Amino acid sequence: TLNVVCFDKTGTLTKNKMSVKEVFALPGHSEEDVLLAALLASRKEDNDPIDNAIITYANEKQIDTKGYVLKKFVPFRPKIKMASAKWVHEGKTGIAIKGAYSVLEKMAKADSKEKATIEDKISDYSKYAYRTIAVASGSKSPKLIGVIALYDEPRPDAARMIRELESLNVDAKMLTGDNLKVAQEIAKEVGISKSIVDFSEVRNKSEEEKEKAILTSGGFAEIFPEDKYTVVKALQKEKLRVGMTG
């Protein structure tokens, strides 16, 4: 008998079809600036859901990359949580970056007021379960210029599936690389009642504390692919039969 099912959020509990809901630019920058930088740091051939959403929205807004010559592109990877592009335009070299705010905040220039403005906006967006991508650009050292809110809505049958599992005494746990507030909102929408925990807060704790968090939580945010192995092993250690999807 199955005791626990661990769900990947994206594409399992959600539709895995991102769309841009809103673009926010810091003072001194425009929405067009943010979209242009995000578009330069996106690539159609990768068929990445976030890239696709940005490309579609930028096309709708008629953002033009004509004259920008791409010199280097680093696609998004879960480990680095960002994508970047180096480009040349009218003889000037620049860099465009899009990715997790927690990563860009450390590497892109922003004063405390700008960081507070961005963090307030991210907090607002997370109430609606919007996923937020930070955007930075610059000629030599990148500067934080804004954020893009995206939404991947829950699948219509996700809440029913969670209810059915609970009726069979199967514990459902959600595992996602997204930030905590987005994960908490999606969990609420699909009916996962146990708390969602930021895995970065338990990753370096003692084995005993880690195992307790894994057993008692409804899932984890900010999780790396290799952390999923840690979660499954901890549950199996308790003699639980574990299923994994996604």
Side-chain angles (χ1 to χ4, degrees):
T1 306
L2 204 60
N3 306 116
V4 185
V5 178
C6 295
F7 291 99
D8 186 39
K9 177 184 75 66
T10 306
T12 304
L13 295 178
T14 63
K15 291 180 176 179
N16 194 24
K17 186 165 176 27
M18 288 282 183
S19 58
V20 173
K21 299 299 279 189
E22 193 173 306
V23 178
F24 172 77
L26 279 169
H29 304 279
S30 66
E31 288 183 21
E32 288 76 15
D33 294 337
V34 177
L35 265 178
L36 174 62
L39 184 58
L40 289 166
S42 302
R43 193 165 61 177
K44 193 172 186 178
E45 52 265 40
D46 290 339
N47 199 29
D48 177 86
I50 291 174
D51 284 19
N52 290 344
I54 287 168
I55 291 164
T56 299
Y57 191 77
N59 286 341
E60 287 170 9
K61 295 292 180 181
Q62 298 181 319
I63 301 299
D64 191 7
T65 58
K66 192 177 176 183
Y68 286 84
V69 179
L70 198 64
K71 291 296 180 182
K72 184 182 179 184
F73 185 84
V74 180
F76 181 91
R77 294 196 301 274
K79 197 79 176 173
I80 59 172
K81 295 196 171 185
M82 67 175 214
S84 64
K86 284 186 178 176
W87 46 260
V88 175
H89 180 249
E90 294 178 351
K92 292 179 182 175
T93 303
I95 184 167
I97 306 171
K98 74 177 198 307
Y101 170 73
S102 58
V103 174
L104 267 67
E105 177 263 331
K106 291 181 177 69
M107 64 178 298
K109 286 182 180 176
D111 60 34
S112 55
K113 188 178 178 182
E114 288 172 329
K115 286 180 183 177
T117 302
I118 291 277
E119 285 163 16
D120 284 347
K121 204 69 190 170
I122 289 171
S123 183
D124 286 344
Y125 286 147
S126 69
K127 292 171 189 171
Y128 302 98
Y130 295 167
R131 182 171 178 177
T132 313
I133 296 296
V135 181
S137 72
S139 53
K140 287 183 180 176
S141 54
K143 184 172 173 29
L144 206 59
I145 61 170
V147 291
I148 296 175
L150 303 115
Y151 188 54
D152 176 19
E153 61 186 276
R155 292 165 68 104
D157 55 352
R160 187 182 74 240
M161 177 178 64
I162 298 295
R163 283 198 307 272
E164 286 178 1
L165 286 169
E166 286 185 349
S167 72
L168 297 167
N169 292 319
V170 177
D171 192 15
K173 294 186 186 293
M174 181 179 76
L175 309 178
T176 177
D178 282 355
N179 76 55
L180 183 61
K181 288 191 174 178
V182 169
Q184 287 171 332
E185 184 62 33
I186 292 292
K188 188 167 77 176
E189 288 191 34
V190 301
I192 295 174
S193 54
K194 290 182 182 177
S195 63
I196 304 297
V197 179
D198 186 333
F199 202 80
S200 65
E201 291 180 5
V202 299
R203 194 176 283 119
N204 298 318
K205 287 192 173 183
S206 69
E207 287 304 308
E208 190 180 339
E209 287 178 305
K210 199 184 294 180
E211 285 167 11
K212 185 182 177 185
I214 289 168
L215 276 171
T216 57
S217 76
F220 292 100
E222 299 280 1
I223 204 162
F224 293 140
E226 59 267 29
D227 295 326
K228 294 177 183 180
Y229 178 80
T230 303
V231 170
V232 171
K233 279 297 177 191
L235 294 168
Q236 288 176 336
K237 192 176 174 184
E238 295 297 317
K239 302 288 189 275
L240 296 170
R241 194 178 286 268
V242 185
M244 172 74 83
T245 70

